[in-house]
């Protein structure tokens, strides 16, 4: 029988990340992605800075690009480093629940895609973390990951 993930984490003395730190990491990542988006699409957005309705329309026309940027950002950093820049800043790491290592590429991609879907569903997937001992969001559950503190 496979070992329970909570028992594995306890044995390795790994602590689940507090929700407050995860929220700050989320905020840092979203600010970075938003800044990158504005820099990349400055030419399309700048003419609308004085007109709120025009700016909303310009951003709406670029929603596919923004979504892809989010997916690429989260997939790459979780797969390559085991953490996004926000998680790195707050000493958090995303671990595969089987081997307690960095998630594989497909798991990272799945996690990034489900994260976007959770945002579209009024962040319900993030609220899911409030109801389980591993504090797993939808993206964590479906990708087989858990976010822990890094030392």
């Amino acid at each position: 029988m496979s070992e329970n993930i909570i028992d594995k984490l306890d044995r390795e003395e790994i602590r689940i990340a507090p929700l407050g730190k995860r929220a700050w990491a989320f905020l840092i990542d979203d600010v970075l992605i938003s800044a990158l988006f504005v820099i990349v699409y400055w030419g399309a957005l700048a003419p609308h800075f004085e007109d709120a309705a025009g700016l909303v329309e310009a951003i709406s026309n670029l929603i596919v690009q923004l979504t892809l940027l989010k997916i690429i950002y989260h997939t790459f950093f979780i797969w390559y480093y085991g953490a996004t820049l926000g998680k790195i800043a707050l000493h958090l790491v995303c671990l595969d629940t089987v081997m307690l290592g960095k998630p594989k590429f497909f798991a990272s991609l799945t996690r990034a895609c489900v994260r976007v879907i959770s945002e579209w569903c009024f962040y319900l997937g993030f609220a899911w973390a409030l109801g389980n001992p591993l504090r797993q969001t939808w993206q964590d559950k479906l990708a087989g990951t858990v976010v822990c503190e890094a030392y």
Side-chain angles (χ1 to χ4, degrees):
M1 188 169 125
S2 68
E3 187 177 15
N4 180 330
I5 183 64
I6 293 175
D7 294 336
K8 273 191 210 179
L9 294 172
D10 285 344
R11 185 187 71 237
E12 298 296 328
E13 297 180 2
I14 299 172
R15 294 186 333 175
I16 300 294
L19 291 176
K21 284 179 91 171
R22 288 187 72 175
W24 279 106
F26 176 92
L27 181 64
I28 291 168
D29 289 330
D30 266 17
V31 167
L32 290 172
I33 292 168
S34 297
L36 181 59
F37 177 76
V38 169
I39 290 167
V40 170
Y41 293 102
W42 182 264
L45 299 175
H48 304 286
F49 284 157
E50 304 268 333
D51 173 28
L55 184 59
V56 168
E57 183 179 344
I59 293 171
S60 295
N61 291 336
L62 295 168
I63 197 69
V64 170
Q65 291 89 333
L66 178 58
T67 301
L68 286 174
L69 181 62
K70 287 181 177 193
I71 290 171
I72 291 166
Y73 172 88
H74 286 280
T75 299
F76 173 76
F77 280 101
I78 294 296
W79 169 63
Y80 197 76
Y81 296 105
T84 59
L85 295 174
K87 284 179 179 53
I88 291 168
L90 292 167
H91 306 284
L92 301 177
V93 65
C94 184
L95 300 174
D96 166 78
T97 57
V98 176
M99 298 300 292
L100 298 182
K102 291 186 302 185
K104 303 284 187 227
F105 178 80
F106 185 73
S108 300
L109 177 61
T110 300
R111 192 175 190 283
C113 291
V114 175
R115 184 183 187 282
V116 169
I117 292 168
S118 177
E119 289 178 9
W120 293 344
C121 295
F122 307 104
Y123 298 92
L124 287 177
F126 296 96
W128 199 264
L130 299 171
N132 63 77
L134 292 174
R135 297 188 193 109
Q136 287 178 300
T137 59
W138 285 353
Q139 61 263 29
D140 291 318
K141 289 267 191 199
L142 290 171
T145 60
V146 63
V147 178
C148 300
E149 294 201 274
Y151 299 99

